[in-house]
């Protein structure tokens, strides 16, 4: 896959389980630059009991910033995020 013109690996990590009273069904996705190993995008979909949260981030390692989907401002990050 490509992210902003960069060749990237797309990884998915899922956690499922729970008990009769509490269920967990979480999914984490990452897009990682194939050449630098830097994170370019991250998405989480958390379903834990009654909690249901979806968040997505665009990461710009060369600028040391990231932006959460739906937000107008960039946040300071680190260079070469994993």
């Amino acid at each position: 896959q490509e992210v902003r013109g960069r060749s990237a690996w797309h990884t998915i990590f899922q956690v499922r389980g729970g008990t009769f009273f509490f269920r967990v069904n979480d999914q984490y996705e990452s897009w990682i630059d194939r050449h630098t190993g830097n994170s370019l995008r991250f998405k989480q979909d958390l379903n834990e009991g009654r909690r249901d949260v979806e968040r997505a981030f665009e990461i710009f390692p060369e600028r040391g910033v990231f932006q959460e989907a739906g937000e107008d401002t960039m946040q300071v990050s680190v260079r070469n995020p994993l």
Side-chain angles (χ1 to χ4, degrees):
Q1 290 190 343
E2 286 196 1
V3 175
R4 298 185 303 274
R6 294 178 167 184
S7 179
W9 287 304
H10 179 206
T11 65
I12 300 173
F13 177 72
Q14 295 178 326
V15 178
R16 292 185 181 159
T19 66
F20 179 72
F21 298 103
F22 188 84
R23 302 294 301 164
V24 173
N25 185 13
D26 295 349
Q27 180 168 296
Y28 303 88
E29 294 183 70
S30 293
W31 287 260
I32 303 162
D33 187 302
R34 289 179 184 243
H35 300 289
T36 65
N38 291 333
S39 294
L40 301 173
R41 181 177 289 153
F42 178 72
K43 181 180 174 184
Q44 62 181 186
D45 183 3
L46 306 176
N47 297 288
E48 301 170 347
R50 295 182 182 183
R51 180 177 162 203
D52 187 10
V53 177
E54 289 185 40
R55 296 170 55 186
F57 302 88
E58 290 294 323
I59 304 166
F60 304 90
E62 65 283 352
R63 297 180 1 211
V65 296
F66 70 91
Q67 184 175 25
E68 186 170 356
E71 299 292 324
D72 293 331
T73 58
M74 296 279 187
Q75 300 292 320
V76 175
S77 180
V78 297
R79 293 207 180 270
N80 303 318
L82 301 174

